[in-house]
Amino acid sequence: MYITINNQKISYIDIGSGKIILLLHGWACSKEIYNDLIDILKTKYRVLALDLPGFGESPEPNNSFFVDDYVKIVDEFIKQINTKNEKVILLGHSYGGRIIIKLNSLNTKYEIEKNILIDSAGIKTKEAKRISLKKIIYKIGKVFYSNKIIEKITNKTLEDYKKEHGSSDYRNASPIMRDTLVKSINEDLTPLLKNIIKPTLLIWGEKDTQTSLSDAYIMKKEMRDAGLVILKNCTHFSFIEDKNTFNAVIKSFLEI
């Protein structure tokens, strides 16, 4: 299915009946990553899952996005699909968690009933801030290798430098999505956590190195009503790595 939101063509799944639960994927993923989960949820819920602009079957935007741009897309999507303004449950992994954190700070027509954040992004920890020095060095390198004279001397182009020093997500992204990624990771959502007052389930991989377990503890502390489940020996895609435990936790939280 497709819907147009703010001039963006959005691919989405709408299946099942009952209360609405919206699934938001992480960076470089698509709605299909939730196929197994959808099979479980659709027995009790109306499940909505969309491809965010630039991922899956949704074309990338004409210009780079801030997190707020994705929030506006998702908020408008819910409004158009949820015509009766029913309560909504939100579930998001990684980047999808960023969007959910911000959605909880909006004054929406619909009510958010519960949140489920899986290895969610959004915290810019002291460790991450220390890494910012590397980003500064990287930016200096970008300027350095943008110089055509330097390029002739070193036989390295700016693109060569990016490939050597950028993250895998950065290397694999188009220029528009690269800029979108940079805008996102530099935004710290910690001050917004206090606005999340609805029951929230945090599910985290014990060995997640992309959004560390320490981020989960910060979220749990700052939110009014949050519980944390740690999946042992799992990394950033904990919901796939320990599917059995994850599914059991979800069924319990959502009373399936």
Side-chain angles (χ1 to χ4, degrees), residues 93-111:
H93 169 249
S94 194
Y95 195 94
R98 279 187 188 274
I99 296 170
I100 289 173
I101 290 171
K102 286 210 156 190
L103 278 170
N104 275 262
S105 293
L106 292 184
N107 183 18
T108 60
K109 292 182 179 179
Y110 52 89
E111 180 183 345

Side-chain angles (χ1 to χ4, degrees), residues 29-92:
C29 296
S30 68
K31 60 185 181 298
E32 278 71 30
I33 201 168
Y34 290 126
N35 281 346
D36 290 343
L37 179 59
I38 290 171
D39 285 340
I40 294 171
L41 297 176
K42 70 182 182 182
T43 61
K44 182 176 178 179
Y45 291 92
R46 180 186 179 189
V47 186
L48 301 172
L50 56 84
D51 285 332
L52 296 169
F55 304 102
E57 298 175 303
S58 295
E60 68 179 41
N62 293 326
N63 301 295
S64 60
F65 268 18
F66 288 95
V67 180
D68 283 339
D69 294 309
Y70 281 112
V71 173
K72 290 175 184 177
I73 291 283
V74 174
D75 180 49
E76 186 59 31
F77 173 83
I78 297 172
K79 289 175 183 176
Q80 290 195 29
I81 296 295
N82 182 20
T83 54
K84 296 181 180 179
N85 293 325
E86 298 173 7
K87 292 181 180 180
V88 176
I89 298 171
L90 302 176
L91 181 151

Side-chain angles (χ1 to χ4, degrees), residues 18 31 47 50 78 83 111 114 118 148 161 163-164 197 208 229 235 254:
K31 60 185 181 298
V47 186
L50 56 84
I78 297 172
T83 54
E111 180 183 345
K114 294 179 179 179
I118 309 163
K148 294 300 180 182
Y161 180 80
K163 288 179 179 178
E164 288 180 12
I197 61 176
D208 190 342
V229 174
T235 61
L254 296 179

Side-chain angles (χ1 to χ4, degrees), residues 142-210:
K142 282 174 66 178
V143 174
F144 183 81
Y145 283 102
S146 293
N147 188 302
K148 294 300 180 182
I149 297 175
I150 297 297
E151 181 179 323
K152 288 182 180 179
I153 296 173
T154 62
N155 272 332
K156 283 189 178 182
T157 64
L158 175 59
E159 196 59 31
D160 292 331
Y161 180 80
K162 288 178 179 178
K163 288 179 179 178
E164 288 180 12
H165 297 276
S167 69
S168 59
D169 281 343
Y170 187 90
R171 291 195 304 271
N172 294 331
S174 69
I176 286 175
M177 298 311 291
R178 287 178 184 178
D179 194 32
T180 296
L181 177 59
V182 171
K183 288 176 177 178
S184 301
I185 63 177
N186 286 331
E187 185 174 5
D188 185 10
L189 305 185
T190 305
L192 300 182
L193 297 177
K194 66 180 182 297
N195 297 332
I196 301 180
I197 61 176
K198 297 297 183 177
T200 300
L201 173 62
L202 305 170
I203 303 178
W204 234 267
E206 178 187 27
K207 297 182 178 180
D208 190 342
T209 57
Q210 294 189 50

Side-chain angles (χ1 to χ4, degrees), residues 12-29:
Y12 72 100
I13 294 170
D14 184 350
I15 190 169
S17 60
K19 288 185 177 181
I20 294 174
I21 181 166
L22 174 66
L23 314 183
L24 298 177
H25 61 77
W27 188 268
C29 296

